Amino acid sequence: MILSELQTGEKAVIVRVNGHGSFRKRLIEMGFITGKEVRVVLNAPLKDPIEYEIIGYKISLRREEARQIEVVTEQEAREALVSDEHLQALPGDLADKERLDKALAHVAEERHHNIRVALVGNPNCGKTSLFNIASGSHEHVGNYSGVTVDAKEGHFKYKDYEITLVDLPGTYSLSAYSPEELYVRKNLLDAMPDVVVNVVDASNIERNLYLTTQLIDMNLRVVMALNMYDELQHKGDKLDTKQLGYLLGMPVCPTVSRDGQGIPELFDTVLKIYEQSDPYLARHIHINHGTELEKSIKRLQTVLYGNEDIRSQYSTRYLAIKYLETDKDVERVLADIPELKALQQARAEEETRIRELLDTSAESAIVDAKYAFIQGALAETYEKYQEDRPRRTLTDKIDAVVTNQWAAFPIFVLLLWFIFWATFTIGQYPMDWIDAAVAWIGEKVGALMADGWVKDLIVDGVIAGVGSVLVFLPNIMILYFFISIMEDSGYMARAAFIVDKLMHRIGLHGKSFIPMVMGFGCNVPAIMATRSIESRKSRLVTIAIIPFMSCAGRLPIFVLFAGAFFPSSPATALLGIYLLGIVLAILSALILSKFVKDDDLPFVMELPPYRVPTAKATWRHTWEKGKQYLEKMATTILLFSVAIWLLGYFPRHEEATTAYQQEHSYIGMLGKAIEPVNEPLGFNWKMDVGLLAGIGAKELVISTMGVMYAQDGKEYEGLESEEDTQLQAALKSTVPTAAALAFMVFVLLYFPCIATFVAIKSETHSWWWAILLALYTILVAWLCAFATFRIGLLIWPV
Ligand code: GDP
Ligand code: MG
């Protein structure tokens, strides 16, 4: 009986919960577990939801949900007391209630041990052979497709279980194109087997896994029978079945159904999956269809999620994918739902968007994404004995070069070098224009206003502040332009693949590498780029170490100091600083990956075919990042640069020199206040003020110190002017070499800068994480600077 048919007041024991994964998980979390007793509190006809009591709690279930739960009623138990031999043998002196309880438990147990297993696979992968050998029946086994036209059922006993095995027709996919496909799908969704055995032809694995990806979408309980394993071994190919199982989220059992090898292990695994006795055996993964398609899927899924009937019957993700594929059968399923209009509109819009961006229909983009997933999974687990396959496709040919074991790294490094070069060389022009434009506007606005602090605020605080933000926009957009091309062309996936093994050693993934490299340009887009990392842990750790990648904003500081204090070998000093950042990043990754909560499950790195990126997609990605930068960062950066300006401007000391003003402003006072803290590092209060200003943006360190060190009220602007040497001279005469080096180390490591801080907050959705990282970097900076200073003193005594 099913739970929804129980009347008010009736009691029953749960046999099993059917339905797709996330639905079952939710019910099980509520307490609907096999063997538990459930009572109907109120089941009025036509009334939804129904109220139940289970393990002492009252819970409402919708009728549709209750239909997925199989139970044994007291009535059924009473009948069993009469008919079942086992129950007749109960001692006669048992009280009625006890007798009934025993009967309930017994029948529930017995039914729970009756399970349905469906065989699903491509034609000719050996389903019928497996069916025959397991069930002992002798269906005709043929070496051509189409023999199995209907489902065959066989029964057999395995351990304590009565297994009903269903041999379904062979299909290559679960689209709704052929009657076989529809039939299999209907069987999986309506007849609801307890466990699906996906039979896969190991000698033709790539094509066979396509069907597997669709089963993953459906969120069913699947065990893979990797059949024809003998042929794979015979060819000398190697397949890491365990790793493949991890990646796909399902157990993979090698079988040879011609002679029965591996069949007992297969059914042992089926039982484990059914009883969920081993939590590490299976997990539900999402096949990553790429950023754009995933957006579309999410959107449709959100619409579907509003419909509770649909939600309890199907995996909404599966329906969303199928609906996006314009699957006729799923369209029929969804034809009467109230959300249809919204759904149709969402699909039409998404279809247009995908066509514009990817230059193909959503349907074929989904197929491509699934193959990219398969390629990625196999690249990590499958090794052909001989690369006997001729290099047919363009993708194969390109891959032969860019993933070649000797050429891969040099090509990669060269590409990155080119991208950085282009970002900063080309970026210089718009940067200069923006600089000039901001200066011009400042001048014009200044001319219109009366002298006073309001004018200073508008011109030096707000306009200059906005300028300091805008000036990096070209860099960010150019960097993203190239990143987007690398990503859309399919190269990025290979790059991630190449470095994956290396990155694993520090507890990260291949996908962490690109954001880290981008960090040398600017930490902000680098942190935004971590979005492509699925694993939460890897993503958090990557975000945490990016600030150690010395960004371009820090470069002028190092150039200035290296020039002043290490005139004979500035490049070595610079390289040393960059290397120190990298070493600390690696150390931090090693340490942090021990502390961040582990969801470190392997995931597939998709290998999509190479494709020429569309102009539209490239532009859109580039602009999106630019917009994000402006929206999210600009507001905060502006706020902070105004704040820092205010701190330097007040309290006012009219008539005084700028340097005097700075020293006696709030920021000067703050610098003096923290002087004792940084004294062990050899810093003076002017350097401390520079560091404080650097919290706003690292670019401010030099200009602030320039002002601080200015004598006779003379100001130092930055690197461009010839007064640089004066600042350098001033530093040299007042700062010991060891302290200067310690200062470089501190600048490299401490508080990333407000924009990065905000980026961390918005990407991790947590102020805590951002604050924690800021504190962590400050601590590391202090400790390393301290060590540098002390060791430095031995080399360059004062
Ligand atoms: P179905 O279409 O999936 O039902 O596949 P069949 O069970 O009809 O098998 C197709 C062919 O593959 C038959 O000739 C089988 O003998 C052969 N076959 C099945 N399993 C294996 C296996 O594990 N190893 C080898 N070498 N051949 C197999
Ligand atoms: Mg068959």
Side-chain angles (χ1 to χ4, degrees):
M1 181 105 77
I2 56 177
L3 185 59
S4 57
E5 287 167 3
L6 247 59
Q7 299 308 310
T8 305
E10 279 189 307
K11 217 170 72 173
V13 169
I14 294 166
V15 173
R16 85 187 82 214
V17 180
N18 290 319
H20 61 89
S22 49
F23 169 77
R24 215 174 40 237
K25 190 165 160 233
R26 197 166 66 83
L27 283 192
I28 287 169
E29 278 164 4
M30 284 178 178
F32 289 88
I33 302 163
T34 304
K36 286 271 180 290
E37 197 182 276
V38 56
R39 200 172 61 80
V40 186
V41 178
L42 184 66
N43 182 2
L46 301 177
K47 193 173 168 291
D48 216 356
I50 310 173
E51 206 178 335
Y52 295 102
E53 184 185 311
I54 188 156
I55 45 179
Y57 291 97
K58 290 217 173 73
I59 287 176
S60 300
L61 278 195
R62 298 164 39 72
R63 200 166 284 278
E64 197 55 57
E65 295 172 321
R67 284 228 318 242
Q68 309 279 357
I69 300 174
E70 191 182 327
V71 294
V72 180
T73 59
E74 284 183 322
Q75 176 63 26
E76 288 172 309
R78 274 197 200 91
E79 282 162 17
L81 274 174
V82 182
S83 60
D84 189 301
E85 293 165 32
H86 179 91
L87 291 173
Q88 283 166 353
L90 284 174
D93 57 349
L94 229 49
D96 262 2
K97 180 173 179 323
E98 218 170 320
R99 188 181 292 273
L100 192 60
D101 282 348
K102 279 215 160 23
L104 270 170
H106 174 76
V107 178
E109 167 97 357
E110 204 171 54
R111 292 210 191 147
H112 179 73
H113 279 211
N114 252 315
I115 63 180
R116 260 179 93 79
V117 177
L119 297 176
V120 178
N122 287 11
N124 263 321
C125 63
K127 292 179 302 302
T128 306
S129 311
L130 201 159
F131 176 84
N132 287 346
I133 211 155
S135 66
S137 81
H138 297 281
E139 281 301 324
H140 176 62
V141 178
N143 192 13
Y144 51 92
S145 49
V147 168
T148 322
V149 287
D150 206 348
K152 301 265 182 317
E153 276 195 16
H155 304 271
F156 65 100
K157 213 171 155 64
Y158 186 74
K159 305 224 158 137
D160 306 339
Y161 293 81
E162 283 295 334
I163 295 178
T164 302
L165 195 60
V166 189
D167 183 17
L168 291 171
T171 55
Y172 293 109
S173 124
L174 293 177
S175 334
Y177 286 128
S178 69
E180 281 88 7
E181 290 177 358
L182 268 181
Y183 184 89
V184 172
R185 223 159 77 174
K186 226 176 153 33
N187 218 287
L188 292 180
L189 292 172
D190 300 348
M192 241 355 138
D194 293 300
V195 180
V196 175
V197 170
N198 177 207
V199 186
V200 163
D201 176 355
S203 63
N204 192 0
I205 190 161
E206 186 180 328
R207 190 179 64 180
N208 274 250
L209 285 182
Y210 184 69
L211 180 64
T212 311
T213 59
Q214 297 188 318
L215 291 173
I216 291 174
D217 287 343
M218 291 171 93
N219 196 0
L220 304 167
R221 287 190 276 195
V222 185
V223 175
M224 183 186 296
L226 191 65
N227 198 36
M228 314 247 183
Y229 199 67
D230 54 331
E231 288 196 9
L232 179 127
Q233 284 177 318
H234 183 72
K235 282 203 255 178
D237 296 354
K238 284 207 185 75
L239 180 62
D240 185 344
T241 53
K242 203 168 162 200
Q243 180 68 9
L244 184 65
Y246 280 141
L247 292 174
L248 301 180
M250 64 179 71
V252 173
C253 304
T255 57
V256 181
S257 56
R258 198 142 67 177
D259 61 11
Q261 269 184 70
I263 304 291
E265 290 80 2
L266 174 68
F267 281 96
D268 284 343
T269 312
V270 165
L271 294 183
K272 275 190 204 152
I273 288 290
Y274 175 64
E275 297 292 2
Q276 297 182 323
S277 53
D278 184 350
Y280 295 104
L281 216 48
R283 64 183 161 123
H284 177 49
I285 63 157
H286 284 181
I287 287 167
N288 180 2
H289 290 78
T291 331
E292 299 305 336
L293 275 177
E294 285 297 331
K295 262 189 223 159
S296 307
I297 294 169
K298 257 263 121 50
R299 179 158 173 218
L300 296 189
Q301 204 182 348
T302 313
V303 178
L304 288 169
Y305 206 74
N307 186 314
E308 300 204 36
D309 281 339
I310 291 293
R311 198 170 83 195
S312 52
Q313 272 185 76
Y314 302 95
S315 148
T316 48
R317 183 173 165 87
Y318 166 73
L319 285 187
I321 293 170
K322 282 288 166 202
Y323 196 73
L324 199 58
E325 284 179 348
T326 61
D327 183 291
K328 296 283 169 289
D329 189 46
V330 164
E331 281 175 357
R332 263 196 300 281
V333 168
L334 300 175
D336 303 324
I337 61 168
E339 295 85 356
L340 188 65
K341 273 256 142 35
L343 196 63
Q344 280 169 336
Q345 192 191 344
R347 179 172 71 182
E349 283 170 20
E350 291 305 311
E351 174 71 41
T352 317
R353 197 175 64 87
I354 295 294
R355 192 172 284 282
E356 273 180 1
L357 290 179
L358 307 180
D359 205 17
T360 169
S361 69
E363 187 181 0
S364 67
I366 289 172
V367 176
D368 284 353
K370 292 207 149 93
Y371 272 109
F373 173 87
I374 295 170
Q375 289 294 347
L378 288 181
E380 248 173 82
T381 54
Y382 188 44
E383 200 183 308
K384 272 211 147 98
Y385 171 62
Q386 268 175 343
E387 202 54 75
D388 51 1
R389 189 169 49 139
R391 304 228 172 263
R392 293 154 310 179
T393 63
L394 182 63
T395 295
D396 287 336
K397 286 182 192 147
I398 300 176
D399 267 348
V401 180
V402 302
T403 64
N404 175 284
Q405 61 169 324
W406 304 111
F409 265 103
I411 290 177
F412 185 38
V413 171
L414 223 67
L415 256 175
L416 286 179
W417 179 85
F418 169 77
I419 289 175
F420 276 123
W421 174 83
T423 302
F424 290 105
T425 332
I426 303 173
Q428 196 56 52
Y429 297 98
M431 267 176 108
D432 290 346
W433 301 334
I434 292 174
D435 237 9
V438 171
W440 183 82
I441 292 170
E443 211 174 284
K444 290 288 160 211
V445 172
L448 291 177
M449 297 178 69
D451 280 354
W453 72 270
V454 178
K455 172 182 162 179
D456 290 348
L457 171 71
I458 298 291
V459 176
D460 298 337
V462 176
I463 295 178
V466 172
S468 71
V469 173
L470 268 182
V471 110
F472 291 104
L473 184 65
N475 274 342
I476 287 184
M477 287 183 64
I478 295 170
L479 193 60
Y480 255 98
F481 170 76
F482 286 111
I483 298 277
S484 160
I485 287 182
M486 290 224 292
E487 204 157 351
D488 294 349
S489 64
Y491 180 74
M492 192 76 99
R494 271 76 185 180
F497 208 86
I498 297 164
V499 295
D500 190 52
K501 282 228 164 60
L502 270 174
M503 300 299 286
H504 273 297
R505 297 217 188 122
I506 56 171
L508 294 176
H509 282 285
K511 286 184 182 176
S512 310
F513 189 70
I514 299 293
M516 281 170 67
V517 171
M518 287 172 71
F520 287 120
C522 175
N523 288 183
V524 175
I527 283 167
M528 300 198 287
T530 59
R531 238 174 259 179
S532 63
I533 306 170
E534 283 103 341
S535 153
R536 180 181 152 275
K537 171 182 163 173
S538 281
R539 183 152 183 242
L540 283 180
V541 175
T542 309
I543 287 176
I545 64 175
I546 283 174
F548 291 144
M549 303 283 130
S550 180
C551 68
R554 284 169 248 187
L555 188 60
I557 309 170
F558 300 143
V559 170
L560 185 122
F561 271 78
F565 290 89
F566 308 98
S568 55
S569 52
T572 317
L574 218 65
L575 188 67
I577 284 288
Y578 272 76
L579 286 179
L580 177 70
I582 295 171
V583 167
L584 280 168
I586 292 173
L587 284 180
S588 301
L590 283 172
I591 297 168
L592 287 176
S593 54
K594 298 253 181 313
F595 285 107
V596 177
K597 228 200 296 117
D598 212 351
D599 64 341
D600 195 17
L601 297 158
F603 59 86
V604 169
M605 299 209 291
E606 303 79 24
L607 289 178
Y610 287 102
R611 205 184 281 135
V612 179
T614 63
K616 195 134 196 173
T618 308
W619 163 246
R620 197 171 282 190
H621 291 154
T622 307
W623 172 235
E624 240 167 47
K625 288 295 176 225
K627 214 171 68 183
Q628 256 174 34
Y629 174 73
L630 286 182
E631 284 171 358
K632 288 197 185 146
M633 311 304 145
T635 43
T636 330
I637 299 178
L638 179 59
L639 223 92
F640 272 85
S641 40
V642 170
I644 288 198
W645 179 86
L646 285 173
L647 287 176
Y649 193 82
F650 290 104
R652 282 312 281 162
H653 303 279
E654 301 294 345
E655 315 299 321
T657 61
T658 321
Y660 181 89
Q661 165 63 33
Q662 284 274 23
E663 181 176 353
H664 295 89
S665 67
Y666 289 116
I667 204 167
M669 295 178 205
L670 260 174
K672 288 201 166 159
I674 60 169
E675 195 175 17
V677 181
N678 282 350
E679 210 222 292
L681 315 178
F683 301 172
N684 59 41
W685 69 267
K686 291 176 182 167
M687 294 162 91
D688 293 333
V689 174
L691 291 176
L692 283 177
I695 288 178
K698 299 281 155 135
E699 287 78 6
L700 297 178
V701 174
I702 295 224
S703 52
T704 308
M705 291 210 322
V707 174
M708 301 269 81
Y709 272 103
Q711 281 139 14
D712 319 321
K714 217 176 181 184
E715 284 188 31
Y716 298 87
E717 274 297 308
L719 266 183
E720 300 92 346
S721 52
E722 71 271 13
E723 285 117 284
D724 285 346
T725 45
Q726 283 188 39
L727 174 55
Q728 286 178 325
L731 284 169
K732 263 158 88 172
S733 59
T734 51
V735 180
T737 307
L741 194 59
F743 189 75
M744 288 166 81
V745 169
F746 200 94
V747 166
L748 169 75
L749 302 173
Y750 86 115
F751 195 103
C753 86
I754 284 300
T756 307
F757 182 75
V758 174
I760 293 172
K761 188 260 149 187
S762 74
E763 292 299 317
T764 59
H765 304 293
S766 144
W767 278 113
W768 276 116
W769 191 247
I771 290 168
L772 208 71
L773 267 177
L775 293 178
Y776 172 72
T777 54
I778 290 172
L779 184 72
V780 170
W782 198 94
L783 291 175
C784 290
F786 180 74
T788 308
F789 183 55
R790 291 294 141 184
I791 296 169
L793 278 182
L794 302 177
I795 306 170
W796 304 282
V798 187

